[in-house]
Structures are given as C-alpha cells and as structure tokens.
Amino acid sequence: MGEVDPAFIQDVEHRPKLTIIEAEGIPVIDLSTLNSPDISTEKNCKELASLVAEVKNACKKWGFFQVINHGVSLESRGKIDLASRKFFALSKEEKRRVKRDELNSMGYYDTELTKNVRDWKEVFDFTVENPTMIPLSHEPDDKELKELHNQWPEYPPELREVCEEYVQEVQKLSYKLLELISLSLGLPAKRMNGFFKDQTSFIRLNHYPPCPIPHLALGVGRHKDAGGLTILAQDDIGGLEVKRKTDGEWIRVKPTPDAYIINVGDTIQVWSNDEYESVEHRVVVNSERKRFSIPFFFNPSHYTWIEPLEELANEKNPAKYKAYNWGMLFTHRKNSNFKKRDDENLQIHHFKA
C-alpha cells in the first residue's frame, strides 16, 4: 500500500475532517448484572430492568453503545489480537496464499471496496459455522447454495485455535445482547434467537496501515451494517466515527480499555419496524500508526426472511418493510466487495413498504 492509487480517494463530500469531535454521550453499559449466578432475585430483577432501559435508550439515541464487564476473557481477546498482528506482519505473498475470491469470500483480502471506493486496509475473514451455507447468487430464481470454507494460513500456527476459542466467547456475548435488545422492545428475551440457528456470522481481523493521505482516504468508507449486531474490539489508536443522529456530524468513538463497541444492524432495524435505527459509520486512518480491530458480525441463517416482527407491526404502526431473504442480500453485498457496481448495493430502503 506504499504508492497511492487514485482508487483510494474519496469524493470531496465524504473526506474526513481534520478536526476531531470525540463522542460525548455514546453510552458505556455495565453488563455485570448478567454475570450473576441467580438473576431471578428481586435485586437482580430491578438491575436487569435498569439494564434493559439503558440498552433501549442507547439503541434509540445512538444505534451504538459500549459494554464493559461483558464476560469475554481478556486472555482470549489478547491471544487473537497477538495472532492477528503476527499474520498481518507476513509478506504480501504469504498472506495471499489464503486469498479470498468471489467463490469463497473467507480469507485474506486487501482490495475491498465500500461504495465503489477502495478501503485503506487489509482483512482476514473467517466464519463461525464452518462450512457456512449461502445462496450461490442473489437472483430470486436461483435456488442453488454454495459453501463458505475457512482458509487458515500456515503461520502463525496458533491462529486457527485462538480464533475458534475467541468465537465461542464472543458468541455468548452476542446472544446476551440480542436478548437484552429483545427485552428492550417489549418482546420475550429469546424471541429473535431462532433466526440465528444456522447463522452466517463471521469475524474479521482488520489491519489499517499508516496512510500518507489520511485527509483523502478512509480505512472503511461510510456504510451501515446489514446484519443483526456488530461487536467490535478495537485497539487504543481509535478511528471509528459514527454519524450522530441529531445533526449528521461525524463523531469519533474514543476507545474504552477492554470494552466492546456494539452497533445495531439493518436487520434489527427492520425487525423493530424502525423503533431502532442502524447508523452510518466509517473508519478514519492516520499517517503514523497502524491500527487493528476485530469486528464480529452476528448474522441470521441464509434462509431467514427479514420483515417487521408481527408483535411490533399493527394498524396504528403498519409494517414499514416488505419481507426479503437474508441470504440473497448477504450474497449481493459480498459480491460488491470484489468489483465496482453500476447499480446501488442492496439496502433496506429498497424494501420499504
């Protein structure tokens, strides 16, 4: 990434500002109540109700929040972070031995596009379920499926083991958060769990090298996450910016040590019938320091049809979206990572009722 390809340069209106506005108010939510051995005591019931109210407030106001005392071990997180750094320190030739392509979008990649502009980053993706089944194409008449397989490099030799161990821990957190969000919508805690039975979730290791043109390029361009939830571990460098709902200003999320940053995806926006909103975000880069992050994308099964939950749509509040198939949308979005599209990437506004 030494020489600057014009493919990295953002249109003027989407370039990062040189002045940083740090987020005041993105909530930090303490999940220690959920770690109690007996959550059914009166004291814990009150604490749980308070926690659910905090989640509701964060989802409505920001679409983003941070969690502490989340139950994921620091040891497991430390191990995947170290293995990630070792992998990205390899030569380009070595990393490209596990390069992903349009047939199998798991593995290493360094030419990803967001809204047809190249991101200043390199990534390594692996799925939670191995193999993961998704549609072969996004065409409605195409019923054929394909398998996504994880590709593990020879070095570092521990990468597969630490990644699979980390998945187990962050999975537990994802279900805790899903249940809190369900409760915050007035639904039974496990109302949405079944949609994730044969999930298409995946984890991404991100590396953002120092960038000589941080005022012109972005680590990841502006976008919304299409799935259910994103659970992000980031280092102390920072770079995530969230579009504030009140005024559209880009706000930098200051890293909180050992916390996770959570954001609601488009899928939950649709299930909630717009009660909660998936918020646009992006990643800025800097000219001096490399940055690492590890997002977990918690996604439903390929055969799940996404539409407002019947409990949240009624005569007074009609369904705001038509049903769409998650696997078709997922495949369409994945394909746009590899080449420029003439048409707009599928978004939930295409399914507005």
Side-chain angles (χ1 to χ4, degrees), residues 84 88 112 121-125 204-208 219-220 232-233 235 283 291-295 297:
S84 166
F88 287 122
E112 188 158 280
K121 69 178 182 194
E122 52 180 349
V123 307
F124 177 82
D125 290 348
R204 167 166 289 178
L205 310 179
N206 279 321
H207 171 224
Y208 303 96
V220 184
L232 173 72
D235 62 17
V283 174
R291 176 179 180 261
F292 297 88
S293 71
I294 306 173
F297 299 100

Side-chain angles (χ1 to χ4, degrees), residues 31-273:
L31 298 183
S32 51
T33 300
L34 300 182
N35 304 325
S36 168
D38 184 10
I39 205 160
S40 61
T41 65
E42 186 179 347
K43 177 174 178 284
N44 283 339
C45 282
K46 282 182 181 172
E47 287 179 356
L48 179 61
S50 173
L51 180 57
V52 168
E54 282 186 77
V55 168
K56 185 177 189 73
N57 181 57
C59 289
K60 278 192 79 72
K61 282 192 173 174
W62 284 94
F64 269 80
F65 54 96
Q66 299 193 62
V67 293
I68 56 173
N69 297 318
H70 40 67
V72 177
S73 80
L74 292 180
E75 181 189 11
S76 177
R77 183 160 157 179
K79 285 197 287 191
I80 193 172
D81 177 65
L82 181 59
S84 166
R85 289 167 188 263
K86 285 183 184 177
F87 172 74
F88 287 122
L90 297 173
S91 68
K92 271 277 195 277
E93 182 186 19
E94 197 65 32
K95 287 180 284 198
R96 284 178 175 158
R97 287 173 186 243
V98 288
K99 190 171 187 282
R100 71 187 209 194
D101 55 35
E102 287 183 66
L103 277 178
N104 183 22
S105 56
M106 293 299 118
Y108 174 76
Y109 204 57
D110 62 350
T111 53
E112 188 158 280
L113 303 170
T114 301
K115 299 197 187 298
N116 283 340
V117 181
R118 192 170 161 193
D119 295 329
W120 191 273
K121 69 178 182 194
E122 52 180 349
V123 307
F124 177 82
D125 290 348
F126 62 96
T127 60
V128 170
E129 304 281 344
N130 189 35
T132 289
M133 307 300 296
I134 65 166
L136 183 63
S137 79
H138 65 274
E139 299 301 331
D141 297 332
D142 188 353
K143 305 301 181 200
E144 203 174 338
L145 298 175
K146 67 176 178 180
E147 293 183 348
L148 299 181
H149 288 276
N150 288 334
Q151 303 188 76
W152 299 106
E154 286 183 29
Y155 186 85
E158 72 274 17
L159 184 68
R160 178 175 185 166
E161 186 182 339
V162 300
C163 285
E164 289 176 348
E165 178 188 313
Y166 181 77
V167 160
Q168 298 304 314
E169 297 219 28
V170 83
Q171 274 269 75
K172 291 175 192 165
L173 174 58
S174 62
Y175 279 106
K176 284 181 191 175
L177 292 165
L178 187 69
E179 290 174 15
L180 285 172
I181 287 170
S182 192
L183 289 169
S184 76
L185 289 165
L187 303 169
K190 297 187 187 298
R191 173 65 175 90
M192 297 184 275
N193 290 25
F195 297 129
F196 296 84
K197 180 171 176 260
D198 297 309
Q199 60 190 291
T200 54
S201 306
F202 68 98
I203 285 185
R204 167 166 289 178
L205 310 179
N206 279 321
H207 171 224
Y208 303 96
C211 176
I213 50 162
H215 57 299
L216 300 177
L218 287 166
V220 184
R222 72 201 192 284
H223 68 285
K224 297 182 178 188
D225 293 345
L229 289 171
T230 304
I231 299 173
L232 173 72
Q234 66 166 348
D235 62 17
D236 61 347
I237 306 300
L240 175 68
E241 292 192 339
V242 176
K243 200 170 194 178
R244 188 163 53 194
K245 287 173 71 172
T246 52
D247 58 7
E249 192 72 62
W250 286 104
I251 305 294
R252 183 78 55 92
V253 181
K254 186 178 180 182
T256 298
D258 306 328
Y260 281 99
I261 299 168
I262 314 300
N263 64 284
V264 168
D266 290 346
T267 298
I268 283 181
Q269 177 170 332
V270 174
W271 281 337
S272 75
N273 205 24

